[in-house]
Amino acid sequence: MAGRSKGRGRSQFTFSVDALGFGRGDSLPQSTHTPSPLFPPMQFRPVPLTTGEEVDYMLALKQELRASSKNLPFHIREARTKTDVARYSDKYQNGEPKNSTIEWSPDWSRLPKELCIKVRKPRKTLIGAKPLLQRKPKVAAGKEEVLQKLETLEKREQEHHSEEEEEEEKKKQNEEEEEPNVDEDYDEEEVEDETDYIMSYFDNGEDFGADSDDNMDEAVY
Amino acid sequence: MTTQEVRLCGLLLQEHFGDVVEKVGTHLIRCGVLTLRALAHETKLALDLVKKSLCVLMQHGMCTFGAGRRGPAGPVEYRISCERILHMLRYPRYIYTAKSLYGDTGELIVEEILQRGQMTMSSTVKTVADRLTHNMPEGQSMDYSEVVSAFSQLVETHFLQRCPPVASTGSSNSGAVDTPPPAVAQPSEPESHPDCYRVPYINLTGQGKRRRSSEDGEADQRAAKKAKVDNNECGDEGIFWQVNFERFHLHFRDQAIISAVSCKLDQTSGEIVRTMLRMSEVTTPANAAFTQALSANEIFRALPSNYNIARPILDQYLTLLVDDPMEFVGKTGDSGGGMYVVNLHRALANLARATLESVVQERFGSRSARIFRLLLRKRHLEQKQVEDFAMIPAKEAKDMLYTLLSENLVQLQEIPKTPDHAPSRTFYLYTVNQLPTARLLLQHCYKTIGNLIERRLYETKENKRLLEKSQRIEAILASLQATGAETAQLTEVEEMITAPERQQLESLRHHINKLDSSENQVDETIFLLESYINSTQASR
């Protein structure tokens, strides 16, 4: 009570003025009316960056890593939805990534089952009929499986099975092998394409089964 | 995870893996643990995209999965490790270290494994051999055995480790199509695997293949396909290797201590400390407060031969190191000529303190730094005492103290004399706490790097048109040169970029280099502060 009557009527602060070191007469700093500036002027300039061979090398490494990581299959781009009319050339221009395929093949045994997605096989552009003829005997010279496959393909041509079943079979056969052999895949697709004009115009069946997202019990291979 | 950390992680993920992974990653960081369904639902992305993103994150070791809250029968839950994403900032430093220790081969091995997350030994060896062959002059090629030996060396010194095996509960077979829910696989800690650092035996012989130009592409493709058919089985299927970041961090920590000693004392003392650290590399656990005790006799024997210091001089150096106020080296006994240890945690604390002082000095001036150092040493001081001890006039000292206070580098502690806390009868003491200040600075560093990255993206976006044009012209030039065009044509193409555009490109490149270099250097500070903070947590 006694203490309070000292400053009665005059300006009094909650803090002791003496301890702070400025007298009554000094004005308090002005209150701010605007937010502080975005880039306030600095009192001291920053120290220049260190230079040297090591620094330059690490800089080059960093930029290289950044550039190369854009080309790796880990850089995931969302597939663009086709707003245009579906064109025939789409079948031959499958450079675009699709949502339902993964561009690299991880070790699925180390990942939970629910993450399993079909691995996309790189589709090579058609080179021409000549390499195909050279390629066929070369590949067939190797394995019995390939011979079997060629026989089944021939049979299929003759029997005119529906395309979707063929796709399923081929994909299963591909998956049964230990590593997807790009050779054979290329062959099959080529052979299939050669007979395309005889078959009716169809969807190539890659989207079969990929749209059924809700059914989680089946692992999509 | 603090806001700044989440923001920085988002920027890093976007830079390396694209927008989709960034969305999935930041959402998972914010929410902690989520199932696949919940993640897909909340991010509103297609389920397949979410699956792909999770595969990418797991390939790089940033995401782990485990049995969810409902136990093994329930859906799998995923969590992300934020610090593993932040390690991406340090990739150039890891690669450079590997280069300095194991040459170009080691550098390329570490680079490949860092970019791909995890790789088998055989695929690493083949890729690295091919890359090295590509850079060698015509006719030479890199033998696989050299790459294998470099790989083994990296594993022996624990820079590379096997990825932890995924222990599945129950027999989960992909062939079995039955009704019980799929067994949940649980990854374990890498160090718990006994074979963590064992190099598998692989029968891989051959040499790196040179990548030829497209004319020979077909012949080479056929040869490559044949080779692939032959060398499919190398004996190490399923054994994946990853980079052991902890080991690299220990190496960086040792380097920091040695360079600090060399700067403060002299080169010879630095060598002595380097010898001590090298000798105790294998025997000291990762989070130890100090190394194993080493006797002076052992240190003398282990010194490198080109340092001809006599035994009494070594003793003098050791005494000097022990007496130094930085307390890098301590004496723990007298047997064997004196038992000495390197105080790792104290060294880290001193390095962090030096960093804090340097930051205050560069931002607020040397007198503010004097006040800061004073408060660090004397713990609690009143304002009057600060002015007296620092020998700074009252008004300026007050100003500086209040600036530091507003930046949260200095804290105010009230000690009331009376129970009613009357201001005139309360002590107001200024104090600095090293650990919270270090954490504050660490967050500032994260924010800094986030700002640097955003500024770089902004600069790139602003000049996108110009950059694309210059890239196109470079491509045209390269193809012209490959087909052997005349110089007149080349100059004509080069002139397509005008001089002011060239200047603009030059300044853009300069800016981007500066921003990138700054990121690397801020990351060094981050490493120091993080090591210090982790060391304090470990000792608790």
Side-chain angles (χ1 to χ4, degrees):
Chain A
M1 280 298 187
R4 285 214 302 195
S5 62
K6 261 188 219 161
R8 184 171 46 196
R10 283 182 300 226
S11 62
Q12 49 176 333
F13 306 115
T14 53
F15 43 88
S16 157
V17 174
D18 302 328
L20 285 179
F22 68 90
R24 282 260 156 109
D26 293 350
S27 56
L28 288 169
Q30 290 177 342
S31 53
T32 47
H33 301 286
T34 56
S36 48
L38 200 53
F39 296 109
M42 288 198 304
Q43 206 179 359
F44 298 94
R45 310 236 55 183
V47 180
L49 296 172
T50 53
T51 51
E53 196 190 308
E54 190 178 315
V55 171
D56 291 335
Y57 193 79
M58 286 210 273
L59 173 66
L61 270 176
K62 188 183 176 76
Q63 292 178 335
E64 262 176 48
L65 277 176
R66 200 167 52 224
S68 55
S69 69
K70 299 242 178 342
N71 297 331
L72 284 176
F74 304 121
H75 193 101
I76 295 185
R77 295 180 190 88
E78 209 167 335
R80 281 197 304 246
T81 51
K82 288 182 282 213
T83 50
D84 213 5
V85 179
R87 295 173 189 275
Y88 182 74
S89 60
D90 287 345
K91 203 162 71 107
Y92 297 95
Q93 285 176 4
N94 255 344
E96 296 291 318
K98 284 163 63 154
N99 275 4
S100 57
T101 56
I102 196 170
E103 312 280 318
W104 47 287
S105 56
D107 186 7
W108 294 115
S109 62
R110 296 176 60 88
L111 298 173
K113 297 235 172 325
E114 56 183 8
L115 291 185
C116 199
I117 300 183
K118 190 169 64 171
V119 177
R120 170 195 160 114
K121 295 182 187 28
R123 191 194 170 109
K124 295 220 169 78
T125 53
L126 296 177
I127 296 180
K130 267 194 198 160
L132 170 67
L133 292 175
Q134 285 171 13
R135 206 177 288 276
K136 253 188 176 174
K138 265 205 170 151
V139 169
K143 297 178 154 186
E144 281 187 6
E145 288 179 23
V146 179
L147 281 175
Q148 272 180 14
K149 204 163 286 186
L150 286 175
E151 283 172 14
T152 50
L153 282 173
E154 284 177 39
K155 277 188 213 154
R156 252 185 260 137
E157 278 178 40
Q158 293 161 9
E159 291 172 3
H160 288 285
H161 277 180
S162 74
E163 282 298 310
E164 281 150 355
E165 284 181 40
E166 282 175 27
E167 283 293 307
E168 287 265 324
E169 226 185 309
K170 267 182 244 163
K171 292 250 169 7
K172 276 193 199 144
Q173 282 178 350
N174 273 338
E175 294 303 328
E176 277 165 15
E177 294 174 3
E178 285 172 357
E179 269 184 28
N181 199 334
V182 182
D183 250 352
E184 298 176 55
D185 187 34
Y186 179 58
D187 263 355
E188 285 165 5
E189 291 188 334
E190 282 240 76
V191 168
E192 187 199 329
D193 290 335
E194 283 210 290
T195 58
D196 192 17
Y197 280 100
I198 304 174
M199 309 284 183
S200 51
Y201 182 74
F202 71 98
D203 190 28
N204 66 0
E206 271 189 79
D207 291 327
F208 178 78
D211 295 332
S212 56
D213 291 335
D214 296 327
N215 205 352
M216 295 293 290
D217 292 335
E218 293 176 354
V220 178
Y221 286 103
Chain B
M1 299 301 123
T2 64
T3 320
Q4 299 303 330
E5 282 179 29
V6 174
R7 172 180 170 231
L8 183 56
C9 287
L11 286 169
L12 285 172
L13 285 176
Q14 185 180 28
E15 218 169 43
H16 283 90
F17 302 129
D19 292 320
V20 177
V21 179
E22 186 248 332
K23 235 185 269 185
V24 170
T26 36
H27 191 79
L28 203 47
I29 296 176
R30 286 211 177 98
C31 297
V33 199
L34 278 180
T35 60
L36 177 63
R37 287 274 167 142
L39 192 54
H41 175 69
E42 286 170 28
T43 52
K44 307 212 180 359
L45 288 170
L47 192 66
D48 284 325
L49 281 178
V50 177
K51 285 188 201 175
K52 275 205 272 192
S53 316
L54 285 173
C55 286
V56 167
L57 287 170
M58 285 207 258
Q59 171 80 6
H60 284 82
M62 294 167 190
C63 175
T64 52
F65 63 95
R69 278 162 282 201
R70 302 210 204 122
V76 177
E77 288 189 342
Y78 302 91
R79 64 168 55 84
I80 265 200
S81 111
C82 210
E83 58 173 35
R84 187 65 185 74
I85 302 180
L86 293 174
H87 286 168
M88 279 209 277
L89 282 170
R90 223 165 279 154
Y91 280 4
R93 202 168 168 194
Y94 298 138
I95 300 174
Y96 184 76
T97 309
K99 181 188 173 86
S100 59
L101 290 174
Y102 296 106
D104 285 337
T105 322
E107 174 198 5
L108 284 181
I109 292 176
V110 171
E111 185 180 334
E112 281 296 315
I113 298 187
L114 278 175
Q115 279 213 301
R116 304 223 162 227
Q118 4 170 294
M119 280 177 94
T120 57
M121 182 167 168
S122 41
S123 51
T124 318
V125 167
K126 282 184 209 153
T127 324
V128 171
D130 287 344
R131 274 181 77 172
L132 284 169
T133 311
H134 191 68
N135 291 335
M136 285 166 127
E138 280 288 332
Q140 293 182 19
S141 67
M142 188 69 169
D143 200 37
Y144 282 172
S145 55
E146 288 181 42
V147 185
V148 168
S149 69
F151 194 98
S152 316
Q153 276 179 325
L154 278 166
V155 173
E156 270 166 24
T157 44
H158 292 205
F159 282 111
L160 294 176
Q161 64 186 180
R162 284 200 201 191
C163 295
V166 175
S168 48
T169 57
S171 59
S172 60
N173 205 347
S174 55
V177 186
D178 46 16
T179 43
V184 171
Q186 292 253 12
S188 47
E189 283 297 315
E191 294 269 319
S192 60
H193 188 152
D195 286 338
C196 185
Y197 298 112
R198 188 169 64 87
V199 180
Y201 172 69
I202 57 174
N203 53 341
L204 188 64
T205 51
Q207 299 185 324
K209 291 166 194 41
R210 188 178 297 276
R211 219 184 17 220
R212 308 216 177 271
S213 55
S214 52
E215 284 101 357
D216 300 326
E218 284 213 24
D220 196 52
Q221 268 181 21
R222 252 175 270 148
K225 279 171 195 167
K226 264 207 173 144
K228 206 163 46 156
V229 162
D230 296 332
N231 291 353
N232 260 345
E233 284 296 320
C234 290
D236 71 336
E237 300 301 319
I239 303 177
F240 290 93
W241 296 85
Q242 65 188 14
V243 171
N244 183 5
F245 294 104
E246 294 310 316
R247 180 69 183 86
F248 273 105
H249 292 167
L250 291 180
H251 186 262
F252 295 156
R253 177 198 69 187
D254 293 347
Q255 265 184 334
I257 295 178
I258 293 167
S259 69
V261 172
S262 308
C263 282
K264 182 131 200 265
L265 299 175
D266 76 337
Q267 184 73 9
T268 318
S269 331
E271 283 306 314
I272 295 176
V273 175
R274 189 199 301 268
T275 314
M276 289 174 74
L277 285 168
R278 195 166 25 93
M279 283 162 66
S280 45
E281 241 172 24
V282 227
T283 49
T284 312
N287 289 331
F290 33 79
T291 60
Q292 295 283 76
L294 300 163
S295 69
N297 296 332
E298 287 174 355
I299 300 175
F300 184 63
R301 274 199 297 270
L303 275 177
S305 42
N306 48 346
Y307 269 92
N308 283 335
I309 33 182
R311 184 55 203 275
I313 306 224
L314 171 70
D315 286 336
Q316 281 180 351
Y317 266 114
L318 284 169
T319 322
L320 208 63
L321 279 166
V322 168
D323 289 337
D324 189 70
M326 289 290 241
E327 288 183 347
F328 284 119
V329 174
K331 187 165 184 180
T332 56
D334 288 315
S335 59
M339 303 292 278
Y340 296 93
V341 289
V342 178
N343 294 321
L344 297 166
H345 282 194
R346 214 165 298 169
L348 280 173
N350 284 332
L351 287 171
R353 182 165 55 83
T355 312
L356 297 181
E357 288 170 11
S358 150
V359 166
V360 172
Q361 179 167 342
E362 295 303 331
R363 283 186 72 189
F364 301 107
S366 53
R367 296 207 284 179
S368 302
R370 206 187 319 161
I371 294 180
F372 189 80
R373 274 196 292 267
L374 190 66
L375 285 170
L376 264 176
R377 185 174 285 201
K378 300 259 187 190
R379 309 295 176 86
H380 295 274
L381 287 176
E382 272 190 336
Q383 182 164 335
K384 192 86 180 49
Q385 287 173 309
V386 168
E387 293 162 17
D388 291 338
F389 281 128
M391 295 181 284
I392 296 177
K395 242 198 175 120
E396 290 166 23
K398 185 175 35 111
D399 232 350
M400 290 175 199
L401 264 176
Y402 291 163
T403 319
L404 287 175
L405 189 63
S406 67
E407 296 282 336
N408 247 333
L409 290 163
V410 157
Q411 278 88 44
L412 203 53
Q413 169 77 37
E414 297 177 3
I415 301 185
K417 286 191 242 188
T418 54
D420 64 350
H421 286 250
S424 54
R425 290 186 291 273
T426 315
F427 287 117
Y428 290 99
L429 299 175
Y430 291 96
T431 181
V432 175
N433 290 326
Q434 189 169 332
L435 187 55
T437 316
R439 283 184 205 269
L440 173 75
L441 265 187
L442 185 61
Q443 296 306 316
H444 280 332
C445 287
Y446 289 141
K447 184 172 179 183
T448 309
I449 297 200
N451 290 348
L452 286 169
I453 294 180
E454 289 218 13
R455 180 71 197 194
R456 175 163 47 81
L457 292 174
Y458 170 78
E459 294 267 331
T460 320
K461 199 167 66 140
E462 282 286 297
N463 296 301
K464 201 164 92 150
R465 189 198 68 88
L466 195 56
L467 277 173
E468 278 173 7
K469 179 176 176 184
S470 82
Q471 276 169 3
R472 247 181 301 133
I473 291 188
E474 272 174 31
I476 296 175
L477 272 176
S479 64
L480 276 182
Q481 274 176 348
T483 57
E486 313 159 346
T487 44
Q489 281 181 317
L490 290 177
T491 43
E492 195 184 312
V493 171
E494 275 175 10
E495 272 165 23
M496 282 166 63
I497 305 185
T498 62
E501 279 182 347
R502 217 178 277 275
Q503 233 178 4
Q504 205 180 344
L505 267 177
E506 196 43 53
S507 80
L508 173 70
R509 212 158 285 160
H510 178 70
H511 287 328
I512 291 190
N513 283 351
K514 223 177 188 163
L515 291 167
D516 272 331
S517 199
S518 314
E519 280 177 43
N520 283 343
Q521 292 184 20
V522 176
D523 178 66
E524 290 180 18
T525 312
I526 285 184
F527 171 71
L528 215 53
L529 292 173
E530 264 180 1
S531 311
Y532 164 61
I533 293 173
N534 289 341
S535 73
T536 53
Q537 281 178 336
S539 55
R540 249 178 239 151

